[in-house]
Amino acid sequence: MTKNSDTRDVDSILAAYRLPERIPFGTELAPVMYRADFRDGKWQSGELQPFGDVPVNPAATALQFAQQAFEGMKAYQSPDGPRLFRPNLNWHRFARSAKRMLMPEVPAALFARALATTVSALASFIPRGRGQSLYLRPTMFGLDPHFAVHGSDNFAFLLMASPSDAYYADPIRIMVERENSRAATGGTGAEKVGGNYGASLFANDHCVSRGFDQSLWLDPATHRNIEELSAMNFMAVIDGELHTPALSGSLLDGVTRNSLLQLAQRLDIVTRERTMPVEALLDDVRAGRCSELFACGTGAIVAPIGAIGEASGTSYELREVNRMAARLRDALLDIQEGKVADPFNWIVDATNARRLGNYLESCPA
Ligand SMILES: *Cc1c(COP(=O)(O)O)cnc(C)c1O
């Protein structure tokens, strides 16, 4: 690889960088990012560069057709140095999202090099408090400018980073969304692509205007069964068991969802992945059989839910808030932060590109 003219910039930028006194969640952007481009039919070698605006042609397929995909993952400061949590799942999911958007897969070696280079450069800026981490945002988008509806031949792959505090929100109030859909059957709901978020903004804004925090999406075909929230999966504690909507093809297969289900089983909690009709859940909440609801995702890990309601303003409080959620969150964080042994082989050194690349390729999707 040729030495880039920005290398000095990167070194001096890192030397001058200071973490803010109070670390926010997801708004402090690290001063460097990794970039590799797909050109002439192959991935070019990437490099760390100063974080900042990137030139994008206004007619690029990324902007005109949402030819785009992204991931959300975290590097944690363990006693043995920075660690990643199940990055194989993010890598495989990123590949599925890219494929669905007619974009090339990022090879394991490149994904690993981007992660290891970025995390190594930022290792001293990973905050160490409980739940704190370096949030990582791999992103890919089409660069070619044209208005004809077909994909690009050229793509940018960026890895951005954000030193982040734990996301301790007050319990959220969710509103059952009965009109709009987030993602269609046969659409892109199972992929992590920006278009899904674009499709959610209008309804979410409406739900906020009704005094709620987030929309609870139902299945797009019948609007009867619960799917998930806009950026988090959904879980319910019913008669002491942990229930979550089964993967339907239009909801996201979350890393946190999958991990909490496995952790719960280890804690002898019965787990059920099933079709969850919303009317039955509301009955269970009113009758007290459903004691607790929470959402889960990489950012918040778990977000306790205080109430569930309707656009009319009707809402039901949960009998318990943040009880099983807090227990699972602690169990997960203990593994992610290296406070307890990792019985699942979920944790891997974030700074060694070779080892990380092997891990990505050897661990299942
Ligand atoms: C990212 C995301 C989640 C959470 O997935 P994790 O892998 O746990 O971070 C859930 N739902 C949607 C729609 C998402 O985009």
Side-chain angles (χ1 to χ4, degrees):
M1 206 195 324
T2 50
K3 205 165 162 71
N4 176 276
S5 56
D6 281 339
T7 304
R8 262 241 321 270
D9 290 3
V10 163
D11 291 344
S12 56
I13 284 168
L14 286 168
Y17 183 58
R18 298 284 175 274
L19 279 179
E21 210 138 287
R22 280 199 49 233
I23 298 161
F25 174 77
T27 55
E28 171 70 14
L29 296 169
V32 295
M33 63 184 177
Y34 194 92
R35 174 169 183 164
D37 280 34
F38 188 88
R39 211 180 320 117
D40 302 327
K42 60 178 197 293
W43 285 104
Q44 311 294 312
S45 62
E47 66 196 359
L48 203 63
Q49 50 180 250
F51 179 86
D53 294 355
V54 294
V56 177
N57 190 298
T61 61
L63 297 178
Q64 299 299 323
F65 310 136
Q67 195 180 25
Q68 184 267 11
F70 68 98
E71 270 303 321
M73 49 205 295
K74 284 174 169 176
Y76 295 87
Q77 196 68 269
S78 87
D80 305 318
R83 292 291 182 269
L84 290 167
F85 178 74
R86 310 188 78 184
N88 49 306
L89 297 186
N90 299 98
W91 175 60
H92 281 292
R93 191 169 65 189
F94 196 45
R96 289 197 301 274
S97 302
K99 184 170 181 216
R100 182 64 174 79
M101 301 309 293
L102 198 63
M103 301 194 292
E105 179 178 325
V106 173
L110 174 56
F111 200 71
R113 197 161 64 240
L115 285 166
T117 307
T118 307
V119 174
S120 299
L122 294 168
S124 56
F125 305 112
I126 304 177
R128 291 170 178 279
R130 179 69 164 172
Q132 297 185 334
S133 64
L134 184 67
Y135 181 81
L136 296 159
R137 173 58 67 96
T139 304
M140 194 197 310
F141 49 90
L143 293 170
D144 297 358
H146 52 73
F147 296 136
V149 185
H150 59 83
S152 284
D153 293 325
N154 298 281
F155 301 89
F157 164 53
L158 300 178
L159 179 66
M160 296 171 273
S162 170
S164 287
D165 200 347
Y167 181 77
Y168 291 116
D170 289 334
I172 55 174
R173 298 166 54 80
I174 60 171
M175 186 188 108
V176 179
E177 174 55 53
R178 294 186 183 270
E179 303 239 326
N180 295 277
S181 298
R182 186 189 78 95
T185 305
T188 55
E191 284 80 32
K192 209 164 176 78
V193 300
N196 295 338
Y197 284 72
S200 75
L201 296 177
F202 176 81
N204 238 348
D205 186 62
H206 176 240
C207 112
V208 168
S209 76
R210 307 300 298 161
F212 293 91
D213 300 302
Q214 292 200 28
S215 307
L216 178 65
W217 297 98
L218 305 180
D219 77 280
T222 69
H223 279 192
R224 286 202 189 119
N225 303 315
I226 296 172
E227 295 236 299
E228 61 171 328
L229 283 77
S230 296
M232 287 187 278
N233 291 113
F234 178 80
M235 297 203 161
V237 182
I238 302 172
D239 292 330
E241 301 176 350
L242 184 61
H243 294 239
T244 195
L247 299 177
S248 64
S250 47
L251 68 86
L252 198 87
D253 182 359
V255 177
T256 317
R257 172 188 178 281
N258 179 289
S259 305
L260 293 185
L261 288 173
Q262 290 191 52
L263 268 176
Q265 285 159 17
R266 237 186 121 76
L267 296 171
D268 288 327
I269 297 164
V270 175
T271 63
R272 303 210 185 270
E273 292 177 74
R274 61 175 179 93
T275 302
M276 292 183 71
V278 67
E279 299 314 330
L281 182 88
L282 290 171
D283 282 348
D284 285 345
V285 169
R286 283 188 291 257
R289 284 186 299 273
C290 172
S291 54
E292 181 177 347
L293 298 175
F294 58 95
C296 64
T298 296
I301 306 178
V302 302
I305 292 171
I308 179 169
E310 308 273 358
S312 63
T314 314
S315 76
Y316 309 100
E317 311 283 318
L318 273 299
R319 191 149 61 73
E320 290 178 336
V321 174
N322 205 21
R323 186 157 160 186
M324 190 185 290
R327 189 168 163 222
L328 291 174
R329 180 182 192 277
D330 264 338
L332 186 57
L333 267 179
D334 280 347
I335 293 178
Q336 290 172 326
E337 295 178 346
K339 301 228 156 53
V340 299
D342 161 24
F344 300 100
N345 187 30
W346 279 349
I347 300 298
V348 58
D349 183 351
T351 60
N352 184 321
R354 269 256 308 267
R355 212 179 307 155
L356 184 53
N358 290 337
Y359 181 93
L360 295 178
E361 282 184 317
S362 64
C363 292

